[in-house]
Amino acid sequence: MKRTKKIALIMLAVALMAVCFVFGASALDATGQCGDNVYWSFNENTGELVIYGEGDMWNYDESPFSFSDVTKIVVEDGVTTIGENAFYICDKLKSVSISNTVEIISEYSFFCCRSLSEVNMSEGLRFIGVNAFYGCNRLVDIVLPDSVTVIESLAFAECSLQNIKIPDNVTYIGELAFSLLPFLKDITIEGIEVELDKNAFCITTAIIVGI
């Protein structure tokens, strides 16, 4: 039964990766609203998208940013949550800077952003959702802030991470959160009370230090 479940999880991960190879293009308006009190400004000449305002971004079924020409995202102070599917398959996105007021990166927020190579995370970040950075296969390095407590399933699966340090305050790491990482060398877990799903680091030959 355990082996069957593990195979099923791997098949799910592969199926999700196939979604990344949907082709399309989307024109993005210069300005718009993406939360009750959150807005965007897009410079088509530089490719920079600025998210600003107060409170949470909306959750999306279909994001206005997917397949757009956005290459850089700056989330300014005042924004507290990056919504579900917010930047789903922004395939030209290269860098993201997240302000210290952001506490939650919701599920599928940066799913299959295949050009994403730089992420500066919020120092106030607490929660990283399911599939948040799944399939970001140019993402080699990520620094998780000390404030993070939960890393959900498949959050960083199918990335190109080489080293991972799990901060002391992390209490839970979900299924396949750091799976299918062919270049991963070292995993350091600083906390002693972290709950690891048994498949959290599935399909990696990395050396795990701290457990």
Side-chain angles (χ1 to χ4, degrees):
M1 181 63 71
K2 290 182 179 180
R3 180 177 175 83
T4 301
K5 182 179 179 182
K6 187 174 182 179
I7 292 172
L9 289 168
I10 294 168
M11 290 177 66
L12 172 61
V14 172
L16 286 169
M17 192 62 192
V19 177
C20 296
F21 294 94
V22 177
F23 295 94
S26 176
L28 182 63
D29 292 337
T31 60
Q33 188 170 3
C34 52
D36 291 348
N37 295 293
V38 181
Y39 305 87
W40 86 72
S41 175
F42 176 58
N43 186 325
E44 64 177 3
N45 294 318
T46 64
E48 182 176 84
L49 176 72
V50 178
I51 307 295
Y52 63 96
E54 299 288 336
D56 300 343
M57 287 185 68
W58 288 329
N59 296 324
Y60 290 97
D61 291 323
E62 296 184 7
S63 170
F65 309 113
S66 296
F67 303 106
S68 69
D69 291 327
V70 172
T71 60
K72 179 180 180 180
I73 294 173
V74 177
V75 182
E76 294 190 340
D77 284 344
V79 179
T80 54
T81 297
I82 296 176
E84 295 175 11
N85 301 304
F87 306 109
Y88 181 102
I89 317 183
C90 284
D91 52 353
K92 296 181 181 179
L93 178 63
K94 296 180 180 179
S95 69
V96 176
S97 179
I98 302 172
S99 75
N100 289 340
T101 58
V102 173
E103 297 183 355
I104 296 172
I105 297 177
S106 301
E107 61 186 59
Y108 290 87
S109 288
F110 297 96
F111 178 83
C112 279
C113 293
R114 291 172 291 170
S115 299
L116 183 60
S117 60
E118 180 181 353
V119 178
N120 294 312
M121 288 191 168
S122 163
E123 289 297 329
L125 184 65
R126 296 184 294 102
F127 180 92
I128 301 174
V130 173
N131 288 304
F133 292 93
Y134 184 101
C136 296
N137 53 20
R138 293 192 182 179
L139 190 59
V140 174
D141 182 59
I142 193 77
V143 177
L144 298 172
D146 290 339
S147 54
V148 171
T149 59
V150 174
I151 302 170
E152 283 285 5
S153 302
L154 291 160
F156 292 97
E158 288 278 6
C159 293
S160 296
L161 299 177
Q162 296 183 2
N163 300 282
I164 298 168
K165 184 173 75 171
I166 307 297
D168 182 64
N169 289 323
V170 172
T171 58
Y172 176 74
I173 301 177
E175 288 184 304
L176 302 176
F178 295 97
S179 62
L180 302 170
L181 303 178
F183 305 106
L184 188 60
K185 300 174 183 177
D186 299 295
I187 303 166
T188 302
I189 301 176
E190 296 188 331
I192 59 174
E193 297 183 359
V194 58
E195 178 187 347
L196 291 176
D197 184 274
K198 58 182 177 297
N199 294 313
F201 299 101
C202 181
I203 315 180
T204 177
T205 57
I207 298 172
I208 302 177
V209 178
I211 58 174

